[in-house]
Amino acid sequence: LKGIPEYRLARKSHRPEGSVICIGDTEIGGKELLMIAGPCAVETEEQLFAIAQKVSDLGIKFLRGGAYKPRTSPYKFQGLQEPGLKLLSNVSKEFNLNIVTEVMDISLLDVVYPHTDIIQIGARNMKNYHLLRALGETDKPILLKRGMDATIEEWLLAAEYILLGGNEQVILCERGIRTFDNSNRNTLDLAGVALVKQLTHLPVIVDPSQATGNRNLIEATSLASIAVGGDGLMIEVHNNPEDALSDGPQSMYLKQFERMLPSLQNMATASNRIIDLKTAIQPVQVQEIH
Amino acid sequence: LKGIPEYRLARKSHRPEGSVICIGDTEIGGKELLMIAGPCAVETEEQLFAIAQKVSDLGIKFLRGGAYKPRTSPYKFQGLQEPGLKLLSNVSKEFNLNIVTEVMDISLLDVVYPHTDIIQIGARNMKNYHLLRALGETDKPILLKRGMDATIEEWLLAAEYILLGGNEQVILCERGIRTFDNSNRNTLDLAGVALVKQLTHLPVIVDPSQATGNRNLIEATSLASIAVGGDGLMIEVHNNPEDALSDGPQSMYLKQFERMLPSLQNMATASNRIIDLKTAIQPVQVQEIH
Amino acid sequence: LKGIPEYRLARKSHRPEGSVICIGDTEIGGKELLMIAGPCAVETEEQLFAIAQKVSDLGIKFLRGGAYKPRTSPYKFQGLQEPGLKLLSNVSKEFNLNIVTEVMDISLLDVVYPHTDIIQIGARNMKNYHLLRALGETDKPILLKRGMDATIEEWLLAAEYILLGGNEQVILCERGIRTFDNSNRNTLDLAGVALVKQLTHLPVIVDPSQATGNRNLIEATSLASIAVGGDGLMIEVHNNPEDALSDGPQSMYLKQFERMLPSLQNMATASNRIIDLKTAIQPVQVQEIH
Amino acid sequence: LKGIPEYRLARKSHRPEGSVICIGDTEIGGKELLMIAGPCAVETEEQLFAIAQKVSDLGIKFLRGGAYKPRTSPYKFQGLQEPGLKLLSNVSKEFNLNIVTEVMDISLLDVVYPHTDIIQIGARNMKNYHLLRALGETDKPILLKRGMDATIEEWLLAAEYILLGGNEQVILCERGIRTFDNSNRNTLDLAGVALVKQLTHLPVIVDPSQATGNRNLIEATSLASIAVGGDGLMIEVHNNPEDALSDGPQSMYLKQFERMLPSLQNMATASNRIIDLKTAIQPVQVQEIH
């Protein structure tokens, strides 16, 4: 980042104490880590309720789930769309969960708005400046994923588009960048998280599921995400990953996710943070699940 | 591209003879090369008319110019917007030029539609699937730029979204990908052009201006683009690059552009193609212009 | 990593319990984390002794320092060479430190051998297969840095060259890969560390200094490196970074390094690891040192 | 390339008229294009003679062939080594061909020297500075391939190491860089060739075989390499690519190579260059090969 950065409102010096975004009793960017879990996509009522039940039982307060899915191929499952949104609202009420779901296009903003608590902007849309401007005029928090080809400065300038419109509730989300090495699905840029935390006052969370594409790497990378100073995690879980309509290999088994939580809590403590699961998590007896 | 590609309508075998898209008397994908020139952005009436006059005098039949500009920074010039579209329509009538301009968002499709002959989709929007679907329902040709982080297969799948909607008039445009080396603005992938020409029946043109970011590399890379089998070129020219509101360093001087045309025509002939400039271009006496 | 990997000796299943490499009373790959600190290059006797004194006082048992430096430009400082090696041996005796220094070429192997305890192979030499074969015939531990353009599989195959020669003492070192984003010097691939730990039995350490190029990011990335499961750290420190002949901006101040150690120890404990500094480190009173 | 480049001897202004390197009656960097063809590796006497016979019959004056092969896996064919060198010398005499073969390590320089006319330095060794320095002291021309992760400036600085030693006969060779897109084996950087030709006086040739990894893309990319201003081509050909011990898919059939030559000559003429094949090439009747 040579010279003076072009972002002003997103800059650390604009709010040196850091931004805190409140949803219910969760203070995102505060001491508590934002924990979001759920399926890549809403698939069926049965699937969503099974996952939401477990997530809620574990004390997680934010459920992710895509109703509209950006897919590389037009022949792949594109999401349940409006019926998916309704299912999200239903589980939100049923289990008292906050919803995080994606808006893919300005034309869908009004449709999605009533059904979500955090508006997710996917990596492919980080440079969709018309959409970013429209988000600047909403009053809901925005989860702004980093583009696969975005530099740190471009990411902060994307946030600046939203901030400039008057919406100060921007949460950044690192989810891996595209590099020559496809040993993992993307290359998780945790040093980038350390850097962006120094450059901005906005909260920064990490999505290790998209980054690695591999459920067996989620625990190690989640621990590292907390240790590096990330303000939270967004993790894909599924009641039946083998039959998931998208992103199965990176979706954790519900048991596997549960088993991981105590070590994340332990890491949060070591990092002077908190994972508030309300209910105490009992260490699950370890058995191998592939 | 392992296994069977997921694109079907975009696949070479779907139309082995190749697609030809007709605009006026230009057959894009035929023997004639598509030549598009113009400024990055429409800035003023004076600027646009000066450039259009020259482009038209040279026999070029397609004028590019952005009225809506996707800019990394919200503080940079964002385009003249609707007044810019009107200027494009005016020069189109005045000089009998076909217009190529960008649609950044579905919400702008109806606004831009009457003012353009080819709808340009920028690199940042190649994975904007809602927009691609909407383009499938228009009846105008689409210029689909390759995303900076898009593989060849992802690019063809983006075309597939449009084709699947019923619009068969898709022109692909290589404009450089993002790599570790920023000696040039992007890395022009001409071997990718050779590959994609074997995989698809769609015409493929090249934008060396965006790829190199350097007006002094346009001639060499344009020659190579023709030699590799590209079906045309889109080149940024400006009557006053030093004062351009965007992309000045990659905009050719009008004289420089004129001086280059005979060598491009020569290369077209050697490649069994034609650059139809209607009027004969006289080799310009060479003098150094930086 | 598709299909069956080509490495056999480096493979996890070859030694599922993991490799432990013993140097003195340090068990690399065991519960204790390998801690290496020192300057990028040996510059003067005064410099090396000042750094070694501090490193030794802190209880660090491994000193790094390049006597031969691979430099992009032939006009830059190339290292003190043989006199540098002698200085390393001197401080080794004086402070009872193990030495880690680089061999750039087979022809230097005999020269460097008596002066080092771990033979470092730089990123540029990871694919120097003649050198790797020669290392297979030595009896000293090898620190094999990942190439800037190396996939995980290529890195393990480089280790395989050494193992195949009979030298089982290979320590892998992640130091960042080259990507489009140069916000940091390289892109530290900690998810790659998590993956490679699952694929191999060899110890894997992290060099956050080379990866970030920024001393202010070393603490956060070191914590993350421990959390992700890394087996140690190699960190550049300097008694006077402003005047360093190479890599000044990424070299930590000695005070800054000292101040960081308690948090690393805390993180090690949280990760069920140990940083053995022999002497108790007293938390340094925090004052800003830019 | 910001600021003043660090290379001096490699710089265009050091010899604005361009460097010409003479081998026999070939002036590399002059009007004539350097044409090098041959197998990836020397495999058997029969193979090498069959290929050399054909290459010689076509009027090509430079034969490539590796006797020492840098291979990612230690379990793959590593080259015939000294016997391979002797075979190269034999065909050189038999067919009056100049030899181009790789030196992988300083220790092999004396071994390879008497058997080659151009010393090839592979991409993996572009940053092997000890080797580069040694090459500066030889009196044979060096073919310096660009590293897969090397910027243009790093490539020129590698040349500078050789020039600084007193050897002015450096030929640069672009062979593709490593990027996120593996549709092709590497990403051929022809705009980089255009740029480097402006920055240096050294001749620059292109290896489309390594770049694309696909014999069916060699013709198009070779044409583009000539058009962009490259000073020659290095192309892999094999008498039996299906059974090649390395790089089969990118090796052209001898017939396919022959059939391509007239179009390359035509392109050379259009680019004001010459491909001197001594004997007239008769256009081969086109029939599909596989």
Side-chain angles (χ1 to χ4, degrees):
Chain A
L1 298 178
K2 284 114 194 161
I4 299 164
E6 294 185 49
Y7 46 92
R8 299 167 200 177
L9 303 177
R11 226 165 155 172
K12 185 77 162 185
S13 58
H14 182 69
R15 193 175 292 142
E17 72 282 12
S19 284
V20 173
I21 297 164
C22 298
I23 301 178
D25 58 353
T26 304
E27 297 187 342
I28 303 165
K31 192 169 181 182
E32 183 183 345
L33 297 176
L34 174 63
M35 294 293 290
I36 306 171
C40 173
V42 179
E43 299 174 1
T44 63
E45 183 170 4
E46 185 191 16
Q47 171 242 23
L48 192 63
F49 274 72
I51 296 170
Q53 174 80 64
K54 184 67 174 181
V55 164
S56 169
D57 285 354
L58 293 170
I60 303 286
K61 293 174 280 184
F62 290 80
L63 180 76
R64 63 155 290 157
Y68 296 85
K69 296 301 303 174
R71 300 303 298 274
T72 301
S73 165
Y75 301 112
K76 293 265 177 72
F77 176 59
Q78 308 278 318
L80 291 185
Q81 313 200 10
E82 286 203 56
L85 291 173
K86 280 171 195 150
L87 290 176
L88 286 168
S89 280
N90 292 347
V91 298
S92 170
K93 279 172 215 144
E94 178 83 11
F95 300 104
N96 195 27
L97 286 163
N98 296 296
I99 299 298
V100 183
T101 199
E102 181 169 352
V103 169
M104 281 177 63
D105 189 80
I106 292 184
S107 62
L108 296 170
L109 191 47
D110 288 347
V111 182
V112 174
Y113 182 90
H115 299 284
T116 196
D117 298 286
I118 297 180
I119 298 170
Q120 180 180 327
I121 300 303
R124 293 174 180 84
N125 268 327
M126 195 209 83
K127 297 183 185 173
N128 185 337
Y129 301 119
H130 270 254
L131 177 55
L132 297 179
R133 267 202 215 90
L135 297 170
E137 291 169 21
T138 67
D139 58 3
K140 289 204 173 168
I142 310 300
L143 185 72
L144 181 65
K145 289 202 162 188
R146 180 178 179 187
M148 284 195 290
D149 65 347
T151 63
I152 298 286
E153 185 167 17
E154 289 169 346
W155 191 18
L156 289 172
L157 283 165
E160 189 84 0
Y161 268 95
I162 302 171
L163 298 170
L164 203 55
N167 185 349
E168 299 194 331
Q169 304 170 84
V170 178
I171 305 157
L172 300 173
C173 180
E174 160 66 24
R175 44 79 71 211
I177 57 173
R178 194 165 252 197
T179 72
F180 69 85
D181 189 16
N182 53 16
S183 308
N184 286 323
R185 185 170 179 178
N186 294 282
T187 298
L188 180 62
D189 185 13
L190 288 182
V193 171
L195 177 61
V196 80
K197 288 285 295 174
Q198 294 189 355
L199 297 174
T200 188
H201 54 84
L202 298 170
V204 184
I205 72 167
V206 177
D207 175 349
S209 307
Q210 280 292 330
T212 63
N214 179 346
R215 74 172 68 92
N216 294 316
L217 298 177
I218 303 306
E219 180 163 350
T221 50
S222 293
L223 293 170
S225 299
I226 296 169
V228 89
D231 296 300
L233 292 163
M234 177 150 80
I235 294 172
E236 293 185 18
V237 300
H238 199 285
N239 59 328
N240 191 3
E242 279 75 11
D243 294 332
L245 295 178
S246 58
D247 286 352
Q250 73 198 35
S251 298
M252 295 186 91
Y253 298 95
L254 294 174
K255 272 278 179 208
Q256 187 187 22
F257 178 68
E258 178 177 4
R259 227 169 49 205
M260 173 180 74
L261 289 177
S263 73
L264 300 196
Q265 286 190 302
N266 173 47
M267 177 57 65
T269 304
S271 302
N272 201 27
R273 304 297 284 263
I274 291 168
I275 295 178
D276 176 17
L277 297 178
K278 289 172 177 165
T279 56
I281 299 294
Q282 301 302 324
V284 182
Q285 198 191 336
V286 178
Q287 335 163 252
E288 201 46 52
I289 305 184
H290 340 199
Chain B
L1 296 178
K2 285 114 193 163
I4 298 165
E6 294 186 49
Y7 47 92
R8 299 167 200 177
L9 303 176
R11 225 166 156 174
K12 184 77 163 184
S13 58
H14 182 69
R15 193 176 290 145
E17 72 282 13
S19 284
V20 173
I21 296 165
C22 298
I23 301 179
D25 58 353
T26 304
E27 296 187 341
I28 303 163
K31 191 169 181 181
E32 185 182 344
L33 296 176
L34 175 63
M35 295 293 291
I36 306 170
C40 173
V42 180
E43 298 174 1
T44 64
E45 183 170 4
E46 186 190 15
Q47 172 241 23
L48 190 64
F49 273 72
I51 295 170
Q53 174 80 64
K54 184 66 174 183
V55 163
S56 168
D57 286 352
L58 293 171
I60 303 285
K61 293 175 281 186
F62 290 80
L63 181 76
R64 65 155 288 157
Y68 296 86
K69 296 301 304 173
R71 299 305 298 274
T72 301
S73 165
Y75 301 111
K76 292 266 175 72
F77 175 60
Q78 308 277 319
L80 291 184
Q81 311 199 11
E82 285 203 58
L85 291 174
K86 281 171 195 151
L87 289 176
L88 286 169
S89 280
N90 292 347
V91 297
S92 170
K93 280 172 215 145
E94 178 84 12
F95 299 104
N96 195 28
L97 286 163
N98 295 296
I99 299 299
V100 183
T101 199
E102 180 169 352
V103 168
M104 281 176 65
D105 190 79
I106 292 183
S107 62
L108 296 169
L109 191 47
D110 288 347
V111 182
V112 174
Y113 183 90
H115 299 284
T116 196
D117 298 286
I118 297 180
I119 298 169
Q120 180 180 327
I121 299 303
R124 292 174 181 84
N125 267 327
M126 195 209 82
K127 297 183 185 174
N128 184 337
Y129 301 119
H130 269 254
L131 178 55
L132 297 180
R133 267 203 213 91
L135 296 170
E137 292 169 19
T138 68
D139 58 3
K140 288 203 174 169
I142 309 300
L143 185 71
L144 180 64
K145 290 203 164 188
R146 181 178 178 185
M148 283 195 292
D149 66 347
T151 64
I152 298 286
E153 185 168 15
E154 290 170 345
W155 192 16
L156 289 172
L157 283 165
E160 189 85 359
Y161 267 95
I162 302 171
L163 297 171
L164 203 56
N167 185 349
E168 298 194 331
Q169 305 170 82
V170 178
I171 305 157
L172 301 173
C173 181
E174 159 66 24
R175 46 77 74 212
I177 56 174
R178 194 164 255 198
T179 72
F180 69 84
D181 188 16
N182 53 16
S183 308
N184 286 323
R185 184 170 179 180
N186 294 282
T187 298
L188 180 61
D189 185 13
L190 289 183
V193 171
L195 177 61
V196 80
K197 287 286 295 175
Q198 295 188 355
L199 297 175
T200 187
H201 54 82
L202 298 170
V204 184
I205 73 167
V206 176
D207 175 348
S209 307
Q210 281 291 332
T212 64
N214 178 347
R215 74 172 67 92
N216 294 317
L217 298 178
I218 303 305
E219 179 163 351
T221 50
S222 293
L223 294 171
S225 299
I226 297 170
V228 89
D231 296 301
L233 291 163
M234 178 150 82
I235 294 171
E236 292 183 18
V237 299
H238 199 285
N239 59 329
N240 191 3
E242 280 76 11
D243 295 333
L245 296 178
S246 57
D247 286 352
Q250 74 198 34
S251 299
M252 294 186 90
Y253 297 95
L254 294 174
K255 273 278 179 206
Q256 187 187 23
F257 178 67
E258 178 177 4
R259 227 167 50 205
M260 173 180 73
L261 289 177
S263 74
L264 299 196
Q265 286 190 303
N266 175 47
M267 179 56 67
T269 304
S271 302
N272 200 28
R273 303 297 286 261
I274 290 168
I275 295 179
D276 176 18
L277 298 178
K278 287 173 177 166
T279 56
I281 299 294
Q282 302 302 324
V284 182
Q285 201 191 332
V286 178
Q287 337 163 253
E288 202 46 54
I289 307 184
H290 344 195
Chain C
L1 298 177
K2 282 117 196 160
I4 299 165
E6 295 186 48
Y7 46 94
R8 299 167 200 177
L9 304 176
R11 225 165 155 172
K12 184 78 165 184
S13 57
H14 182 69
R15 193 176 291 143
E17 72 281 12
S19 284
V20 172
I21 297 164
C22 298
I23 301 179
D25 58 354
T26 304
E27 298 187 341
I28 303 165
K31 192 170 180 181
E32 183 182 346
L33 297 175
L34 175 63
M35 294 294 290
I36 306 170
C40 173
V42 179
E43 299 174 1
T44 64
E45 183 170 5
E46 185 192 16
Q47 171 241 24
L48 191 64
F49 273 72
I51 295 169
Q53 174 80 65
K54 184 66 174 182
V55 164
S56 168
D57 286 352
L58 293 171
I60 303 285
K61 294 175 281 184
F62 290 80
L63 180 76
R64 63 155 290 157
Y68 297 85
K69 296 301 303 173
R71 300 303 299 273
T72 301
S73 165
Y75 302 110
K76 293 265 175 72
F77 176 60
Q78 309 278 319
L80 291 184
Q81 312 199 11
E82 286 202 58
L85 292 173
K86 279 170 196 151
L87 290 176
L88 286 169
S89 280
N90 293 347
V91 297
S92 171
K93 280 172 216 145
E94 178 83 13
F95 299 104
N96 195 27
L97 285 164
N98 296 296
I99 300 297
V100 184
T101 199
E102 180 169 353
V103 169
M104 280 177 64
D105 190 79
I106 292 183
S107 62
L108 296 169
L109 192 46
D110 288 347
V111 183
V112 174
Y113 183 90
H115 299 284
T116 197
D117 298 285
I118 297 180
I119 298 170
Q120 179 180 328
I121 300 303
R124 293 174 180 83
N125 268 329
M126 194 209 82
K127 297 183 185 173
N128 185 337
Y129 301 119
H130 270 255
L131 178 55
L132 298 180
R133 267 202 214 89
L135 297 170
E137 292 168 20
T138 67
D139 60 2
K140 287 204 174 167
I142 310 299
L143 185 71
L144 180 64
K145 290 204 163 187
R146 180 178 179 186
M148 283 196 291
D149 65 347
T151 63
I152 297 285
E153 185 168 16
E154 289 169 347
W155 192 16
L156 289 172
L157 283 165
E160 189 85 0
Y161 268 95
I162 302 170
L163 298 171
L164 203 55
N167 186 348
E168 298 195 329
Q169 305 170 84
V170 178
I171 305 157
L172 300 173
C173 180
E174 160 66 24
R175 45 77 74 212
I177 57 173
R178 194 164 253 197
T179 72
F180 69 85
D181 189 17
N182 52 17
S183 307
N184 286 324
R185 184 170 179 178
N186 293 282
T187 298
L188 180 61
D189 185 14
L190 289 183
V193 171
L195 177 62
V196 80
K197 288 286 294 174
Q198 295 190 354
L199 297 175
T200 188
H201 53 83
L202 298 169
V204 184
I205 72 167
V206 177
D207 175 349
S209 307
Q210 280 291 331
T212 64
N214 179 347
R215 74 173 67 92
N216 294 316
L217 298 178
I218 304 305
E219 179 163 352
T221 50
S222 293
L223 294 170
S225 299
I226 297 170
V228 89
D231 295 301
L233 291 164
M234 176 149 82
I235 294 171
E236 292 184 17
V237 299
H238 199 285
N239 59 329
N240 191 3
E242 280 75 12
D243 294 333
L245 295 178
S246 57
D247 288 351
Q250 74 197 35
S251 298
M252 293 187 90
Y253 297 95
L254 295 173
K255 271 278 179 208
Q256 186 187 23
F257 178 68
E258 178 176 5
R259 224 170 50 206
M260 173 180 74
L261 289 176
S263 73
L264 300 195
Q265 286 191 301
N266 174 46
M267 177 58 64
T269 305
S271 303
N272 200 27
R273 304 296 285 262
I274 290 168
I275 295 178
D276 176 18
L277 298 178
K278 287 171 178 165
T279 56
I281 298 294
Q282 302 302 324
V284 182
Q285 198 190 335
V286 178
Q287 334 163 256
E288 201 45 54
I289 307 183
H290 38 149
Chain D
L1 298 177
K2 284 115 195 163
I4 298 165
E6 294 185 51
Y7 47 93
R8 299 167 200 178
L9 304 176
R11 223 165 157 174
K12 184 78 164 185
S13 58
H14 182 70
R15 193 176 291 145
E17 72 282 13
S19 283
V20 172
I21 296 165
C22 297
I23 301 180
D25 59 353
T26 304
E27 297 187 341
I28 303 165
K31 191 169 182 182
E32 184 183 346
L33 297 176
L34 175 63
M35 294 293 292
I36 306 170
C40 173
V42 180
E43 299 173 2
T44 64
E45 183 170 5
E46 185 191 16
Q47 172 241 24
L48 191 64
F49 273 72
I51 295 170
Q53 174 81 63
K54 184 67 176 182
V55 163
S56 169
D57 286 353
L58 293 171
I60 303 285
K61 294 174 281 186
F62 290 79
L63 181 76
R64 64 156 288 157
Y68 296 85
K69 297 300 305 174
R71 300 304 298 273
T72 302
S73 166
Y75 302 111
K76 292 266 176 72
F77 176 60
Q78 309 277 319
L80 292 184
Q81 312 200 11
E82 287 202 58
L85 292 173
K86 280 170 195 150
L87 289 176
L88 286 169
S89 280
N90 292 347
V91 297
S92 171
K93 281 172 213 142
E94 177 84 12
F95 300 104
N96 195 28
L97 286 163
N98 295 296
I99 299 298
V100 184
T101 200
E102 181 168 353
V103 168
M104 281 176 65
D105 190 78
I106 292 183
S107 63
L108 296 169
L109 192 47
D110 288 346
V111 182
V112 174
Y113 182 90
H115 299 284
T116 196
D117 298 287
I118 296 180
I119 298 169
Q120 180 181 326
I121 300 303
R124 292 173 180 84
N125 267 328
M126 195 209 82
K127 297 183 184 174
N128 185 335
Y129 301 120
H130 270 254
L131 178 56
L132 297 180
R133 266 202 214 90
L135 296 170
E137 291 168 21
T138 68
D139 59 2
K140 288 204 174 168
I142 310 299
L143 185 71
L144 181 64
K145 290 202 163 189
R146 180 178 178 186
M148 283 196 291
D149 66 346
T151 64
I152 297 285
E153 185 166 16
E154 289 169 346
W155 192 16
L156 289 172
L157 283 164
E160 189 85 359
Y161 268 95
I162 302 170
L163 297 171
L164 203 55
N167 186 348
E168 298 194 331
Q169 305 170 82
V170 178
I171 305 158
L172 301 173
C173 181
E174 159 66 25
R175 46 76 74 211
I177 56 174
R178 194 164 253 197
T179 72
F180 69 85
D181 188 17
N182 53 15
S183 307
N184 286 323
R185 185 170 179 178
N186 294 282
T187 298
L188 180 62
D189 185 13
L190 289 183
V193 171
L195 178 62
V196 81
K197 288 286 296 174
Q198 294 189 355
L199 297 174
T200 188
H201 54 83
L202 298 170
V204 184
I205 72 167
V206 176
D207 175 349
S209 307
Q210 280 292 330
T212 64
N214 179 346
R215 75 172 67 92
N216 294 315
L217 297 178
I218 303 306
E219 180 164 350
T221 50
S222 292
L223 294 170
S225 299
I226 297 170
V228 88
D231 295 301
L233 291 163
M234 177 149 81
I235 295 172
E236 293 184 17
V237 299
H238 199 285
N239 59 329
N240 190 4
E242 279 75 12
D243 295 333
L245 295 178
S246 58
D247 286 352
Q250 74 197 32
S251 299
M252 294 186 91
Y253 297 96
L254 294 174
K255 272 279 180 207
Q256 186 187 24
F257 178 67
E258 178 177 4
R259 227 168 49 204
M260 172 180 74
L261 289 176
S263 74
L264 299 195
Q265 285 190 302
N266 174 47
M267 179 57 67
T269 305
S271 303
N272 201 27
R273 304 295 285 262
I274 289 168
I275 295 179
D276 176 18
L277 297 178
K278 287 173 178 164
T279 56
I281 298 294
Q282 301 301 324
V284 181
Q285 199 191 331
V286 178
Q287 339 162 250
E288 201 44 53
I289 301 183
H290 60 145

